Amino acid sequence: MSLAATLAASSSTLNINIGAVAYGLAAIGPGIGIGLVFGHAIEAMARQPEATGRISLYMWIGFSLTEALALIGLVAPFIFKYAS
């Protein structure tokens, strides 16, 4: 069996879900962003305990906006897959 035939046979058995790979890559950014939001909020609360209420409000707003990016990254591969 030739090398080309072997590669063709092995590539047909390789079934990678590109949408899952794309979501895995898209989840990296929001994961880092959420860590930064909560880390900086804890640091700010430690520096100014009297502003904990306001800081936690902005922390949750930042969390929700960052998490929205992860949800868009989850939906986008399906949109692009069925759009064409």
Side-chain angles (χ1 to χ4, degrees):
M1 189 173 207
S2 70
L3 179 62
T6 305
L7 288 175
S10 66
S11 66
S12 65
T13 60
L14 184 63
N15 188 9
I16 297 176
N17 188 353
I18 300 299
V21 173
Y23 178 65
L25 293 174
I28 293 172
I32 293 170
I34 289 170
L36 289 174
V37 165
F38 281 99
H40 288 292
I42 291 170
E43 181 180 335
M45 287 180 209
R47 289 177 185 255
Q48 287 188 321
E50 67 274 3
T52 300
R54 180 175 278 180
I55 292 168
S56 63
L57 171 70
Y58 291 135
M59 175 188 69
W60 289 113
I61 291 172
F63 168 75
S64 62
L65 292 174
T66 308
E67 187 65 28
L69 293 174
L71 294 175
I72 291 170
L74 176 65
V75 174
F78 295 111
I79 292 172
F80 292 129
K81 180 177 181 181
Y82 297 115
S84 48

